[in-house]
Amino acid sequence: MAVLSNGFDATISAAAGEDAALLAELRAVFIESLERQVDLLSRARCDGNWAVAAQRLKSLGASFNAPTLVALADLALDSAPGDPTVIRKLSQFAGEIPAS
């Protein structure tokens, strides 16, 4: 699976311009936000908390032009709270993102 699209790199490159430090920081913030929301999703046991975490993941994916993340968030929104398949797929996605 292609973890991130070329659109992701283009989006953060456009935001950072020629600033390599900012580019690295944007990538790090994306990964940190992704991991935090996947953790919240994995601990959600009610529909409300599950939906909030899934919506945040979808927004993160849309903001950074990461269509795979948007699709995984949609899968979470269509699933029951605590669905281990969804959590596993999101965790795998997060683990495959290169730090730089």
Side-chain angles (χ1 to χ4, degrees):
M1 161 174 40
V3 176
L4 293 172
S5 68
N6 290 337
F8 173 82
D9 289 326
T11 299
I12 63 171
S13 293
E18 299 294 321
D19 189 339
L22 180 56
L23 182 66
E25 186 175 345
L26 286 171
R27 184 177 284 275
V29 166
F30 174 81
I31 293 169
E32 180 183 331
S33 296
L34 172 60
E35 289 172 345
R36 181 178 31 246
Q37 294 311 314
V38 171
D39 178 59
L40 289 172
L41 192 74
S42 71
R43 292 186 286 127
R45 294 297 172 250
C46 71
D47 291 344
N49 291 342
W50 179 268
V52 167
Q55 283 289 359
R56 287 180 180 165
L57 284 167
K58 186 172 182 174
S59 295
L60 181 67
S63 296
F64 280 85
N65 197 7
T68 303
L69 180 55
V70 172
L72 289 171
D74 281 335
L75 179 63
L77 287 167
D78 292 338
S79 300
D83 185 326
T85 302
V86 172
I87 294 168
R88 185 178 64 248
K89 286 179 180 183
L90 282 161
S91 295
Q92 181 180 2
F93 174 83
E96 292 176 356
I97 296 173
S100 58

